[in-house]
Amino acid sequence: MADRAKDNPDEAADFETAIAECGFGFFNLFILCSAVPCLMAMVFSASALSYVMPSAECDLDLSIVDKGMLHAVTYAGMIISAVPWGFIADTIGRRPVLIAGGWLDGFFVLCASLSQDTAQLMAFKFFDGFIICGPFAVVVSYLAEFHGKKHRPYIMLFVGLCVSIGSMILPLLAYVLLPVHILFKVSSMKFRTWQVFLAVSSVPSLLSGLLHIFLPESPKFLMSQGNYKKALDSFQRIYKMNKRKSRESYPVKRLTDPTPDRSDDLDSTGRPSTLKERFSRAKSKFLEGFKQLKPMFSNPYLAISLQVYCLHFCQIM
């Protein structure tokens, strides 16, 4: 298909043809490196409290219930925000979610490190889980949408590898920081070693938000929205970085989406739909998505789903 694009430059190319022409190179390495902090941030958000709990238990006078709630609130935030984040990512795009999500999550983790009592720590860890669920889910799609069929199967392998690396770095960080005695005051606020540890754990989220500023929006998402001009611009940018050639030499000049019935994404004048219009359509799809969850709670899917959930739960444990 890539050869067809070279032989017929005026012929509209689909996504797979266009991304194949971009090849694999520096851009792909950069986007993979940019995804590492985001994937690590998920591990840090879910597991950081496990390492600080012995120290925080004394400083905050935590009861058994408090410790259980502190461990649970992060996951509660993740569960509550899972569906809304998908709605947002399919409405405004992957890149804004990765940038805003990274910065917001880093902000809430920093706020958690400033907590002076249990209620503050619990609230900020809830928002930490609520926010990080978005970038973590979106980054997988984002990575896949910048790779062709040849390299796409390895994306999940890369994601699993990064999660494993994060699971190794966090205890090493705890091993280095937590034994060190740190205690200082700023006005009436006291800061201890475990709070410094939490502050350091915000770095992956902040770094993720920063790195994704330098990356374009997913061309696959742009094509699904009917915004072929910006999608072509993204392809040309990838091509330039990978091939070390000018954007004008990119062989694909026109794009087409093979998925039928994309007329809803364009108005009668042919211009790309506005953000308000996309939100309106996405809202109806969001409500429709909840209706589509109904079969999961009926036979034969219920038994199969429970088996998968149980296996995944045991894997995490």
Side-chain angles (χ1 to χ4, degrees):
M1 295 181 72
D3 293 334
R4 286 174 56 191
K6 293 178 181 178
D7 297 337
N8 303 289
D10 294 330
E11 182 180 349
D14 61 11
F15 171 79
E16 293 297 342
T17 303
I19 198 68
E21 287 291 347
C22 296
F24 186 94
F26 178 77
F27 177 87
N28 301 87
L29 295 176
F30 182 72
I31 195 174
L32 289 172
C33 291
S34 300
V36 173
C38 180
L39 297 168
M40 288 176 56
M42 179 67 172
V43 178
F44 283 24
S45 294
S47 306
L49 280 184
S50 300
Y51 296 95
V52 306
M53 198 61 71
S55 299
E57 179 181 6
C58 300
D59 297 330
L60 299 178
D61 192 23
L62 299 176
S63 65
I64 296 295
V65 175
D66 291 334
K67 289 188 283 186
M69 289 293 292
L70 280 170
H71 278 107
V73 289
T74 304
Y75 292 99
M78 294 177 184
I79 293 170
I80 292 172
S81 67
V83 175
W85 272 123
F87 162 71
I88 294 171
D90 289 339
T91 303
I92 66 174
R94 284 73 162 111
R95 182 173 175 267
V97 170
L98 289 167
I99 296 173
W103 285 105
L104 281 173
D105 184 66
F107 170 76
F108 282 117
V109 175
L110 284 174
C111 288
S113 70
L114 301 176
S115 300
Q116 300 296 302
D117 57 50
T118 306
Q120 292 176 5
L121 182 59
M122 199 174 295
F124 289 128
K125 285 303 294 181
F126 171 81
F127 286 111
D128 173 23
F130 189 93
I131 297 297
I132 194 59
C133 184
F136 177 75
V138 169
V139 74
V140 179
S141 300
Y142 190 71
L143 287 174
E145 291 170 359
F146 277 102
H147 293 83
K149 291 180 179 179
K150 181 179 179 181
H151 300 99
R152 198 174 299 139
Y154 300 104
I155 294 301
M156 288 308 298
L157 178 64
F158 175 79
V159 170
L161 179 64
C162 290
V163 171
S164 299
I165 291 173
S167 300
M168 291 188 294
I169 291 177
L170 186 62
L172 289 174
L173 190 62
Y175 178 79
V176 172
L177 278 179
L178 292 179
V180 180
H181 178 70
I182 299 175
L183 177 61
F184 62 93
K185 293 182 66 176
V186 177
S187 185
S188 60
M189 301 173 66
K190 291 184 179 181
F191 297 96
R192 301 173 177 84
T193 305
W194 64 269
Q195 291 168 296
V196 175
F197 175 77
L198 284 180
V200 173
S201 70
S202 70
V203 172
S205 296
L206 297 173
L207 184 59
S208 173
L210 175 64
L211 290 175
H212 283 97
I213 292 175
F214 304 102
L215 291 167
E217 179 57 271
S218 160
K220 180 68 173 177
F221 169 78
L222 292 170
M223 290 177 69
S224 72
Q225 298 296 315
N227 200 338
Y228 298 126
K229 184 177 180 181
K230 286 189 176 180
L232 185 59
D233 184 70
S234 291
F235 283 125
Q236 290 173 341
R237 183 175 173 183
I238 301 169
Y239 178 83
K240 180 182 178 181
M241 294 181 69
N242 283 347
K243 301 288 188 177
R244 298 292 194 274
K245 297 180 180 179
S246 66
R247 297 163 69 105
E248 291 73 20
S249 63
Y250 182 56
V252 175
K253 305 302 180 184
R254 293 193 302 117
L255 297 171
T256 183
D257 192 343
T259 305
D261 191 18
R262 288 298 182 186
S263 57
D264 288 342
D265 293 315
L266 297 171
D267 62 16
S268 57
T269 63
R271 66 170 175 80
S273 55
T274 64
L275 183 62
K276 183 178 180 180
E277 291 167 343
R278 295 207 304 268
F279 258 114
S280 178
R281 287 193 296 272
K283 181 180 178 181
S284 62
K285 293 178 182 178
F286 178 67
L287 296 175
E288 183 181 346
F290 272 106
K291 295 179 182 178
Q292 293 175 358
L293 293 175
K294 186 178 179 180
M296 293 180 62
F297 299 95
S298 58
N299 290 324
Y301 302 108
L302 180 60
I304 298 173
S305 298
L306 290 175
Q307 291 178 28
V308 173
Y309 301 152
C310 183
L311 286 171
H312 188 57
F313 178 78
C314 293
Q315 181 186 17
I316 295 175
M317 294 295 288

